Amino acid sequence: MFFVFAQCDGNATAAAARYRELHPGEHTPGAAAFRGLAARLYSSGSFLPDRTDTGRSCRIPTARLEEVLEDFDRDGTQSVREVGRRLGVSRTTVHRQLQEESMHPYRYVRVHTLQPRDYTQRMVYSRWLLGEIARNPSFCRFVLWTDEALFTREGCFNAHNSHVWDDENPFAVRTHAAQERWSINLWAGICDDFVVGPYILPERLNGTTYQNFLENALPDLLEEIPLEIRRNMYFQHDGVPAHYAANVRAFLDQAFRDRWIGRGGAVLWPPRSPDMNPLDFFLWGHLKVRLMSLFFFFFKFKNI
């Protein structure tokens, strides 16, 4: 470690990065460990800590370790602090033992609340889709998955997963709840390896404006899609009111016949199922993060 530290001219951050390159896949020390190593060497001439009492062992008896694992097998939602207090061991010891057993804390994922009848509809749709894939493994290439999303000034921001890496606390802030607000209603689609759009729709979508989009704008957006796919394309959308309008359903019956998926369509789209649409579980979140990064960079550059 010290040789790497010396090669990096005493830069602890660079030394930690270099150490990770030299020893990939291992638990590598951070910048603080390199600083402490250098401080001990310069002050005492030794790499070892200057203390006679190294403290009690962090290992716990095998029987107690089994109690910890049994506790988490019964209820994985417990905190390490609660288990440690109940079993008479420290929180850090419990946490270390769980890591040594290759156990990790996983976050909850928020999903839509399903009604009792939704499970049956999701099962029917899933069986239909799996049946089509069994008959034609390339079936999903011919499905145009579509969705709309509202982009606002607030953007998409997760304070838990967003960090600012620095050697000192920069006290980063992010403004919100602005009085001047704006929003853009975007439509986009995914077909085969193509992203179709995005296309700006009216903020308040109804059956008339949506049909006008399907008739006049969608054909132009599909020009890059190969003709073979367009001839056999399935059109998918969810069951929002504008999609369920009588004029919209009549147009889809004429344009796609029995090859459209949606509320009232030849293939029923299960309600409250964004997890079955690639735009909902990937594209919109990715676009919002990228666009808001560009938005804040623009305003930061503008105010310099």
Side-chain angles (χ1 to χ4, degrees), residues 59-119:
R59 302 293 301 178
I60 59 177
T62 303
R64 187 59 57 85
L65 172 60
E66 292 178 354
E67 292 182 25
V68 171
L69 298 179
E70 289 176 359
D71 260 17
F72 281 96
D73 283 339
R74 287 193 297 269
D75 183 7
T77 64
Q78 302 179 91
S79 72
V80 293
R81 190 184 302 275
E82 293 175 353
V83 174
R85 184 184 300 113
R86 185 167 59 253
L87 297 180
V89 296
S90 69
R91 171 182 60 85
T92 54
T93 300
V94 174
H95 192 270
R96 185 179 297 108
Q97 297 304 322
L98 292 176
Q99 287 183 324
E100 290 182 2
E101 295 296 322
S102 300
M103 297 178 67
H104 308 280
Y106 296 96
R107 298 186 180 94
Y108 283 92
V109 177
R110 293 188 299 178
V111 298
H112 279 245
T113 300
L114 296 176
Q115 304 296 330
R117 62 181 179 276
D118 293 342
Y119 294 95

Side-chain angles (χ1 to χ4, degrees), residues 204-215 240-249 251:
R204 296 186 179 275
L205 194 65
N206 56 39
T208 302
T209 54
Y210 186 56
Q211 181 184 354
N212 180 65
F213 160 75
L214 294 175
E215 289 185 10
V240 301
H243 297 176
Y244 188 62
N247 59 316
V248 173
R249 285 181 284 137
F251 171 79

Side-chain angles (χ1 to χ4, degrees), residues 44-283:
S44 63
S46 173
F47 293 115
L48 299 177
D50 185 17
R51 59 187 183 188
T52 56
D53 183 12
T54 58
R56 63 180 182 178
S57 173
C58 64
R59 302 293 301 178
I60 59 177
T62 303
R64 187 59 57 85
L65 172 60
E66 292 178 354
E67 292 182 25
V68 171
L69 298 179
E70 289 176 359
D71 260 17
F72 281 96
D73 283 339
R74 287 193 297 269
D75 183 7
T77 64
Q78 302 179 91
S79 72
V80 293
R81 190 184 302 275
E82 293 175 353
V83 174
R85 184 184 300 113
R86 185 167 59 253
L87 297 180
V89 296
S90 69
R91 171 182 60 85
T92 54
T93 300
V94 174
H95 192 270
R96 185 179 297 108
Q97 297 304 322
L98 292 176
Q99 287 183 324
E100 290 182 2
E101 295 296 322
S102 300
M103 297 178 67
H104 308 280
Y106 296 96
R107 298 186 180 94
Y108 283 92
V109 177
R110 293 188 299 178
V111 298
H112 279 245
T113 300
L114 296 176
Q115 304 296 330
R117 62 181 179 276
D118 293 342
Y119 294 95
T120 301
Q121 294 175 333
R122 286 167 62 90
M123 184 68 69
V124 171
Y125 171 78
S126 299
R127 287 177 175 172
W128 169 83
L129 183 60
L130 291 174
E132 295 296 328
I133 295 174
R135 284 187 287 272
N136 178 14
S138 301
F139 174 76
C140 288
R141 294 182 56 232
F142 296 87
V143 179
L144 174 60
W145 312 93
T146 74
D147 195 34
E148 297 97 39
L150 192 67
F151 285 70
T152 66
R153 184 171 184 171
E154 298 296 329
C156 180
F157 184 75
N158 188 329
H160 185 71
N161 293 330
S162 300
H163 310 282
V164 179
W165 291 89
D166 206 336
D167 55 354
E168 294 182 0
N169 187 358
F171 298 101
V173 297
R174 182 180 186 273
T175 60
H176 70 99
Q179 291 184 342
E180 296 179 2
R181 301 183 181 183
W182 51 263
S183 62
I184 299 176
N185 189 18
L186 282 187
W187 176 96
I190 293 179
C191 184
D192 194 19
D193 292 332
F194 298 89
V195 175
V196 184
Y199 183 86
I200 299 178
L201 292 172
E203 185 174 348
R204 296 186 179 275
L205 194 65
N206 56 39
T208 302
T209 54
Y210 186 56
Q211 181 184 354
N212 180 65
F213 160 75
L214 294 175
E215 289 185 10
N216 302 314
L218 184 59
D220 294 335
L221 295 173
L222 296 177
E223 286 185 352
E224 295 185 1
I225 306 296
L227 183 59
E228 176 193 0
I229 294 180
R230 280 184 282 165
R231 286 177 175 174
N232 301 282
M233 178 180 290
Y234 273 73
F235 179 84
Q236 178 274 333
H237 64 188
D238 54 28
V240 301
H243 297 176
Y244 188 62
N247 59 316
V248 173
R249 285 181 284 137
F251 171 79
L252 292 175
D253 286 337
Q254 180 181 3
F256 292 93
R257 298 186 182 275
D258 58 347
R259 300 193 316 276
W260 69 277
I261 307 167
R263 182 182 173 194
V267 180
L268 297 179
W269 176 256
R272 291 169 286 278
S273 299
D275 54 316
M276 294 185 171
N277 190 328
L279 289 97
D280 266 311
F281 65 72
F282 165 70
L283 182 65

